[in-house]
Amino acid sequence: MFKKRRIEKKKNRKKAQRSSSVKEGTTYQQEVEVNVNDCNIIQQIPSSLTLSNTDKYLVFDLETTSLSRNSDITQLAAASGLNVFQRYIMPRCDISNEASKITGISFCHATNKMYLNGREVETCTIQQGLLDFLDFFKLNELPILVGHNITNFDMMVLENRLKEFSMFSAFIASVKGFIDTLKLSKRVFPKADVDNYKQQTLVKKVLGIEYAAHNAKDDVLSLSELFSQKLQSRCVEDDLHHVNFNSCKLSLKPLVDKKNY
DNA sequence: AAGACGCTGGCGGGATATCG
DNA sequence: CGATATCCCGCCAGCGTCTT
């Protein structure tokens, strides 16, 4: 019964194809060969990393001017053990309304002053903030970065800003890899227990703690607790990604596009 | 709002089954 | 053998969910 219908549809499709095939031109020509120039651009995929019980974890979080991966960073925070790092950073572009509403951060370009919920805060330049951030890594030898949904947001924003100041290679050299607590949480916590996997929700449902979400420092401190108490022991090698992860993916994009074409 | 990823349902189509 | 039905798997558009 199903087949009959499908065969009918197929006939119709073929008819449509024939009438449009004239316009299609080279669509189905084979061009799957990879030329040598493309290969040179592609970064070598690093060998997989292994977890060790001597690893040090460094939780971090960014607040940014928008959701764009090319956003400027407005606040940068990190925690490693008892050490806490925190900087407010002067953005060079406007802070989107949504971002300002969520983070409580605003910036006056005329006076170069930044405000958190109306109160002025001390700032630094993006370059200085990044330098200090890299310095903070050195408190531990090759820490593993930890953050929520960092694979698809924070790592990309951070990578873009580090590259802008030619600090990406120094960054790669000073961390072992990174772990995304979003992916980890989806495996560890049953959906029925937590409703959703927003960081704020997880901290509330799992630790029973309400906190000032969307302030990088508070986000980092609460995620630190969640990670060390509930997640760290559940990490497997698959969760640990090389910091080149996104870079590699990006370098493969031309190939993928070619395939799709 | 921008963008990436995971999940899902529907579809295409090859392989197999059934019937005359 | 030919025609139809069923099964199964890969693919993909569309939607939901995270980040600020």
Side-chain angles (χ1 to χ4, degrees), chain A residues 195-228:
Chain A
D195 293 345
N196 64 58
Y197 292 94
K198 290 180 173 72
Q199 181 180 328
Q200 188 173 13
T201 308
L202 292 174
V203 169
K204 183 181 172 185
K205 297 271 182 182
V206 177
L207 298 180
I209 297 173
E210 300 259 17
Y211 76 102
H214 299 299
N215 179 290
K217 188 176 169 184
D218 294 301
D219 276 339
V220 153
L221 292 176
S222 64
L223 188 61
S224 233
E225 280 303 304
L226 185 70
F227 182 73
S228 62

Short mmCIF file of all heavy atoms in Angstrom, two decimals, chain A residues 195-228:
data_model
loop_
_atom_site.label_atom_id
_atom_site.label_comp_id
_atom_site.label_asym_id
_atom_site.label_seq_id
_atom_site.Cartn_x
_atom_site.Cartn_y
_atom_site.Cartn_z
N ASP A 195 14.36 19.47 34.86
CA ASP A 195 13.51 20.25 33.95
C ASP A 195 14.26 20.72 32.70
O ASP A 195 13.89 20.41 31.58
CB ASP A 195 12.89 21.48 34.64
CG ASP A 195 11.89 21.08 35.71
OD1 ASP A 195 11.48 19.90 35.71
OD2 ASP A 195 11.55 21.93 36.55
N ASN A 196 15.31 21.51 32.90
CA ASN A 196 16.14 21.92 31.75
C ASN A 196 17.61 21.99 32.20
O ASN A 196 17.92 21.79 33.36
CB ASN A 196 15.66 23.26 31.18
CG ASN A 196 15.81 24.39 32.18
OD1 ASN A 196 16.92 24.67 32.65
ND2 ASN A 196 14.72 25.05 32.49
N TYR A 197 18.48 22.27 31.24
CA TYR A 197 19.92 22.20 31.53
C TYR A 197 20.61 23.56 31.53
O TYR A 197 21.80 23.66 31.30
CB TYR A 197 20.59 21.24 30.54
CG TYR A 197 20.17 19.82 30.76
CD1 TYR A 197 19.12 19.26 30.04
CD2 TYR A 197 20.79 19.03 31.73
CE1 TYR A 197 18.70 17.96 30.26
CE2 TYR A 197 20.39 17.74 31.97
CZ TYR A 197 19.33 17.20 31.23
OH TYR A 197 18.93 15.92 31.47
N LYS A 198 19.83 24.62 31.75
CA LYS A 198 20.45 25.93 31.95
C LYS A 198 21.31 25.84 33.21
O LYS A 198 20.93 25.16 34.18
CB LYS A 198 19.38 27.00 32.15
CG LYS A 198 18.56 27.34 30.94
CD LYS A 198 17.56 28.43 31.32
CE LYS A 198 16.81 28.94 30.12
NZ LYS A 198 15.82 27.99 29.57
N GLN A 199 22.43 26.55 33.22
CA GLN A 199 23.32 26.47 34.38
C GLN A 199 22.59 26.86 35.67
O GLN A 199 22.71 26.20 36.70
CB GLN A 199 24.53 27.38 34.19
CG GLN A 199 25.48 27.30 35.38
CD GLN A 199 26.70 28.19 35.24
OE1 GLN A 199 27.17 28.41 34.13
NE2 GLN A 199 27.20 28.68 36.35
N GLN A 200 21.82 27.92 35.58
CA GLN A 200 21.10 28.42 36.76
C GLN A 200 20.16 27.35 37.33
O GLN A 200 20.07 27.15 38.54
CB GLN A 200 20.31 29.66 36.38
CG GLN A 200 19.69 30.38 37.57
CD GLN A 200 19.04 31.71 37.16
OE1 GLN A 200 18.87 31.96 35.97
NE2 GLN A 200 18.71 32.53 38.12
N THR A 201 19.47 26.66 36.43
CA THR A 201 18.54 25.62 36.85
C THR A 201 19.25 24.45 37.50
O THR A 201 18.83 23.93 38.52
CB THR A 201 17.73 25.12 35.63
OG1 THR A 201 17.16 26.23 34.97
CG2 THR A 201 16.64 24.17 36.09
N LEU A 202 20.36 24.04 36.89
CA LEU A 202 21.11 22.90 37.42
C LEU A 202 21.60 23.18 38.84
O LEU A 202 21.48 22.33 39.73
CB LEU A 202 22.31 22.60 36.51
CG LEU A 202 21.99 22.05 35.12
CD1 LEU A 202 23.26 21.94 34.28
CD2 LEU A 202 21.29 20.71 35.21
N VAL A 203 22.14 24.39 39.02
CA VAL A 203 22.66 24.75 40.35
C VAL A 203 21.53 24.74 41.39
O VAL A 203 21.70 24.27 42.51
CB VAL A 203 23.35 26.13 40.30
CG1 VAL A 203 23.66 26.64 41.70
CG2 VAL A 203 24.63 26.06 39.48
N LYS A 204 20.40 25.22 40.97
CA LYS A 204 19.26 25.27 41.89
C LYS A 204 18.73 23.87 42.21
O LYS A 204 18.52 23.51 43.37
CB LYS A 204 18.15 26.13 41.29
CG LYS A 204 16.95 26.30 42.20
CD LYS A 204 15.88 27.14 41.53
CE LYS A 204 14.60 27.13 42.37
NZ LYS A 204 13.51 27.86 41.68
N LYS A 205 18.54 23.08 41.17
CA LYS A 205 17.92 21.75 41.36
C LYS A 205 18.87 20.75 41.99
O LYS A 205 18.46 19.91 42.78
CB LYS A 205 17.44 21.21 40.01
CG LYS A 205 16.37 22.04 39.36
CD LYS A 205 14.99 21.60 39.79
CE LYS A 205 13.92 22.42 39.08
NZ LYS A 205 12.56 22.06 39.52
N VAL A 206 20.13 20.81 41.61
CA VAL A 206 21.08 19.80 42.07
C VAL A 206 21.72 20.19 43.39
O VAL A 206 21.85 19.38 44.30
CB VAL A 206 22.17 19.55 41.01
CG1 VAL A 206 23.19 18.55 41.52
CG2 VAL A 206 21.54 19.05 39.71
N LEU A 207 22.12 21.47 43.51
CA LEU A 207 22.78 21.90 44.74
C LEU A 207 21.81 22.59 45.70
O LEU A 207 22.12 22.77 46.88
CB LEU A 207 23.93 22.87 44.42
CG LEU A 207 25.08 22.34 43.57
CD1 LEU A 207 26.13 23.42 43.35
CD2 LEU A 207 25.73 21.11 44.21
N GLY A 208 20.65 22.96 45.18
CA GLY A 208 19.69 23.68 46.03
C GLY A 208 20.13 25.11 46.33
O GLY A 208 19.78 25.67 47.37
N ILE A 209 20.89 25.70 45.41
CA ILE A 209 21.41 27.05 45.65
C ILE A 209 20.86 28.04 44.62
O ILE A 209 20.91 27.79 43.41
CB ILE A 209 22.96 27.07 45.55
CG1 ILE A 209 23.55 26.18 46.65
CG2 ILE A 209 23.50 28.50 45.68
CD1 ILE A 209 25.05 26.00 46.53
N GLU A 210 20.33 29.17 45.08
CA GLU A 210 19.95 30.27 44.19
C GLU A 210 21.12 31.25 44.17
O GLU A 210 21.72 31.52 45.21
CB GLU A 210 18.70 30.98 44.73
CG GLU A 210 17.49 30.08 44.86
CD GLU A 210 16.51 30.24 43.71
OE1 GLU A 210 16.93 30.81 42.67
OE2 GLU A 210 15.36 29.79 43.85
N TYR A 211 21.45 31.79 43.02
CA TYR A 211 22.58 32.70 42.96
C TYR A 211 22.35 33.75 41.88
O TYR A 211 21.43 33.64 41.08
CB TYR A 211 23.88 31.92 42.70
CG TYR A 211 24.02 31.46 41.28
CD1 TYR A 211 24.85 32.13 40.38
CD2 TYR A 211 23.32 30.36 40.82
CE1 TYR A 211 24.98 31.72 39.08
CE2 TYR A 211 23.43 29.94 39.51
CZ TYR A 211 24.26 30.62 38.64
OH TYR A 211 24.37 30.21 37.35
N ALA A 212 23.26 34.75 41.85
CA ALA A 212 23.15 35.84 40.87
C ALA A 212 23.65 35.36 39.52
O ALA A 212 24.80 35.58 39.15
CB ALA A 212 23.95 37.05 41.34
N ALA A 213 22.77 34.71 38.78
CA ALA A 213 23.15 34.20 37.47
C ALA A 213 23.47 35.35 36.53
O ALA A 213 22.96 36.45 36.68
CB ALA A 213 22.03 33.35 36.90
N HIS A 214 24.33 35.06 35.56
CA HIS A 214 24.74 36.02 34.54
C HIS A 214 25.65 37.12 35.06
O HIS A 214 25.78 38.17 34.44
CB HIS A 214 23.53 36.62 33.82
CG HIS A 214 22.71 35.58 33.11
ND1 HIS A 214 23.22 34.81 32.10
CD2 HIS A 214 21.45 35.15 33.30
CE1 HIS A 214 22.29 33.97 31.68
NE2 HIS A 214 21.21 34.15 32.40
N ASN A 215 26.26 36.86 36.21
CA ASN A 215 27.45 37.61 36.57
C ASN A 215 28.56 36.58 36.48
O ASN A 215 28.49 35.54 37.13
CB ASN A 215 27.36 38.17 37.99
CG ASN A 215 28.62 38.93 38.35
OD1 ASN A 215 29.68 38.32 38.54
ND2 ASN A 215 28.54 40.24 38.44
N ALA A 216 29.55 36.86 35.65
CA ALA A 216 30.57 35.86 35.34
C ALA A 216 31.17 35.25 36.60
O ALA A 216 31.38 34.04 36.69
CB ALA A 216 31.66 36.46 34.47
N LYS A 217 31.44 36.09 37.59
CA LYS A 217 32.09 35.60 38.80
C LYS A 217 31.17 34.64 39.57
O LYS A 217 31.61 33.56 40.00
CB LYS A 217 32.49 36.78 39.70
CG LYS A 217 33.34 36.37 40.88
CD LYS A 217 33.78 37.60 41.66
CE LYS A 217 34.39 37.23 42.99
NZ LYS A 217 34.73 38.43 43.77
N ASP A 218 29.93 35.01 39.74
CA ASP A 218 29.00 34.13 40.46
C ASP A 218 28.71 32.86 39.67
O ASP A 218 28.56 31.78 40.25
CB ASP A 218 27.70 34.89 40.76
CG ASP A 218 27.92 36.03 41.73
OD1 ASP A 218 28.37 35.75 42.85
OD2 ASP A 218 27.65 37.19 41.35
N ASP A 219 28.62 33.00 38.35
CA ASP A 219 28.45 31.83 37.50
C ASP A 219 29.60 30.85 37.70
O ASP A 219 29.39 29.65 37.82
CB ASP A 219 28.39 32.26 36.02
CG ASP A 219 26.99 32.69 35.59
OD1 ASP A 219 26.02 32.30 36.27
OD2 ASP A 219 26.87 33.41 34.58
N VAL A 220 30.79 31.40 37.74
CA VAL A 220 31.99 30.58 37.87
C VAL A 220 32.03 29.87 39.22
O VAL A 220 32.33 28.69 39.32
CB VAL A 220 33.25 31.45 37.66
CG1 VAL A 220 34.44 30.87 38.38
CG2 VAL A 220 33.54 31.60 36.18
N LEU A 221 31.71 30.62 40.28
CA LEU A 221 31.77 30.03 41.62
C LEU A 221 30.73 28.93 41.79
O LEU A 221 31.02 27.87 42.36
CB LEU A 221 31.57 31.12 42.68
CG LEU A 221 32.72 32.13 42.77
CD1 LEU A 221 32.40 33.24 43.79
CD2 LEU A 221 34.04 31.44 43.12
N SER A 222 29.53 29.15 41.27
CA SER A 222 28.49 28.13 41.44
C SER A 222 28.76 26.92 40.54
O SER A 222 28.56 25.78 40.95
CB SER A 222 27.11 28.72 41.14
OG SER A 222 27.03 29.12 39.79
N LEU A 223 29.25 27.19 39.34
CA LEU A 223 29.56 26.06 38.45
C LEU A 223 30.73 25.25 39.00
O LEU A 223 30.78 24.03 38.85
CB LEU A 223 29.88 26.56 37.04
CG LEU A 223 30.04 25.47 35.98
CD1 LEU A 223 28.77 24.66 35.82
CD2 LEU A 223 30.46 26.06 34.63
N SER A 224 31.63 25.93 39.66
CA SER A 224 32.77 25.27 40.31
C SER A 224 32.27 24.24 41.32
O SER A 224 32.76 23.10 41.39
CB SER A 224 33.61 26.33 41.03
OG SER A 224 34.94 26.23 40.63
N GLU A 225 31.30 24.67 42.13
CA GLU A 225 30.71 23.78 43.13
C GLU A 225 30.04 22.59 42.48
O GLU A 225 30.24 21.43 42.85
CB GLU A 225 29.67 24.55 43.97
CG GLU A 225 30.28 25.41 45.06
CD GLU A 225 31.15 24.60 46.01
OE1 GLU A 225 30.63 23.61 46.59
OE2 GLU A 225 32.34 24.93 46.15
N LEU A 226 29.20 22.91 41.49
CA LEU A 226 28.47 21.85 40.79
C LEU A 226 29.43 20.84 40.19
O LEU A 226 29.25 19.62 40.30
CB LEU A 226 27.59 22.46 39.70
CG LEU A 226 26.67 21.49 38.96
CD1 LEU A 226 25.55 21.00 39.87
CD2 LEU A 226 26.08 22.13 37.71
N PHE A 227 30.47 21.36 39.57
CA PHE A 227 31.43 20.49 38.89
C PHE A 227 32.17 19.60 39.87
O PHE A 227 32.25 18.38 39.70
CB PHE A 227 32.42 21.32 38.07
CG PHE A 227 33.40 20.48 37.30
CD1 PHE A 227 32.99 19.78 36.18
CD2 PHE A 227 34.72 20.38 37.70
CE1 PHE A 227 33.88 18.98 35.47
CE2 PHE A 227 35.62 19.59 37.00
CZ PHE A 227 35.19 18.90 35.88
N SER A 228 32.71 20.22 40.92
CA SER A 228 33.54 19.41 41.84
C SER A 228 32.70 18.42 42.64
O SER A 228 33.14 17.32 42.93
CB SER A 228 34.32 20.33 42.79
OG SER A 228 33.42 21.09 43.57
#
